[in-house]
Amino acid sequence: AICLEDCFTHLEDNREVMGDVRSAIQVHIHYDDIASEVLLSLRAVRQPFDCFITTTSFEKAVSIFNLFKKGFNYRRLEILVVRNVGRDVAPFLLQLKHRIKHYEYFCHVHAKKSLHSDFGNEWRKELLGQLLNKNEGILELLDSNPNIGLINPTPHPRVKPFLGWAQNLPYANIVARKIGIPEINLPNVVDFPAGNMFWARADAVRQIFEYDWQERDFPEELNQLNETIMHGIERI
């Protein structure tokens, strides 16, 4: 990975202090043709936040930076170039693992296409809309209910029949062992953030960040639909 923090960080009012806002939003953008759509959703977030972005080439980073620096309510903007390994999951964990301690809440979204389906665009718009266009209500809910640790969108109707472990329970248990929790014993139908976009209370999911994730923990991209550590993490 090449850190472009020095070249591609924009700080509002030139402040370099992390932790002066409560929330962070992490965005993975492999498909940069969707970047404008993601930016439009981010503009709906009225509260100040720090924005961390990962993408998969220097050229994409330059384009995304020039697009995003022009306008939404971020306090800090950082773009990191990563290899196309681990879908959105590896970039999300690798970018935030040393930063999560600075925030009370965070959101993870990505420029999702789901090329194996015929409803990928519809699904992405639905996920972004529920998480970013309704963010004030989500933060109010987290503030008023300290026992809520994670909020995920209502599953898309075409996804509901697949809300289960499928062949991913062994991979979830690999993750469980890495982060020090007992083997999972849950029913076959599991409610999880299908599509891997969600808001979370940082303290509720801190264990996932305490493991020293490395790029080598994730498989090369082979258009896998299931049975990877990314699918295990999504469900855990």
Side-chain angles (χ1 to χ4, degrees):
I2 304 168
C3 184
L4 301 182
E5 186 170 341
D6 292 337
C7 301
F8 296 106
T9 300
H10 172 79
L11 303 174
E12 182 179 308
D13 299 330
N14 295 317
R15 287 178 293 183
E16 298 187 17
V17 178
M18 295 185 69
D20 60 342
V21 295
R22 301 173 65 202
S23 303
I25 299 179
Q26 199 281 334
V27 187
H28 180 61
I29 303 176
H30 174 62
Y31 300 110
D32 57 334
D33 56 314
I34 300 175
S36 294
E37 180 184 321
V38 175
L39 175 59
L40 187 63
S41 294
L42 286 170
R43 283 180 173 156
V45 181
R46 297 180 182 178
Q47 303 88 344
F49 63 94
D50 288 348
C51 187
F52 298 96
I53 300 174
T54 47
T55 190
T56 48
S57 77
F58 181 86
E59 293 74 19
K60 290 177 188 177
V62 173
S63 174
I64 292 166
F65 178 73
N66 288 331
L67 176 67
F68 275 51
K69 71 178 182 179
K70 296 176 182 177
F72 60 98
N73 196 27
Y74 63 86
R75 190 71 52 88
R76 175 185 180 89
L77 174 63
E78 179 183 313
I79 299 181
L80 178 71
V81 176
V82 297
R83 285 206 311 126
N84 185 25
V85 172
R87 304 281 169 86
D88 63 292
V89 179
F92 157 63
L93 291 172
L94 292 171
Q95 190 176 39
L96 287 191
K97 66 179 180 179
H98 298 306
R99 295 170 171 84
I100 197 67
K101 62 185 178 183
H102 297 289
Y103 303 99
E104 189 173 354
Y105 309 126
F106 70 90
C107 178
H108 169 62
V109 297
H110 55 107
K112 179 179 179 62
K113 278 196 174 181
S114 301
L115 296 174
H116 61 282
S117 73
D118 61 359
F119 60 94
N121 289 332
E122 176 188 342
W123 188 13
R124 179 187 65 255
K125 292 176 187 296
E126 191 174 280
L127 294 172
L128 291 173
Q130 289 190 50
L131 291 172
L132 297 178
N133 295 344
K134 300 179 181 180
N135 68 91
E136 286 190 43
I138 289 173
L139 293 179
E140 289 172 2
L141 187 61
L142 288 166
D143 276 340
S144 60
N145 295 271
N147 290 327
I148 293 178
L150 187 142
I151 295 176
N152 56 270
T154 302
H156 188 282
R158 298 278 294 276
V159 175
K160 280 186 178 180
F162 303 100
L163 288 181
W165 291 106
Q167 295 80 38
N168 297 299
L169 184 56
Y171 296 92
N173 275 316
I174 290 172
V175 179
R177 289 192 292 271
K178 286 181 182 295
I179 66 176
I181 62 175
E183 185 164 315
I184 300 165
N185 182 16
L186 289 173
N188 290 331
V189 178
V190 184
D191 185 14
F192 63 94
N196 202 45
M197 301 194 206
F198 54 88
W199 275 94
R201 187 183 306 275
D203 280 343
V205 295
R206 193 171 300 279
Q207 277 176 288
I208 199 82
F209 294 99
E210 290 175 346
Y211 181 76
D212 187 23
W213 295 103
Q214 302 293 326
E215 188 182 271
R216 62 178 177 268
D217 292 314
F218 300 89
E220 296 289 333
E221 179 55 45
L222 298 171
N223 298 316
Q224 303 97 321
L225 298 182
N226 257 317
E227 298 184 62
T228 72
I229 196 165
M230 295 91 74
H231 294 94
I233 289 170
E234 179 184 35
R235 284 158 177 78
I236 206 172

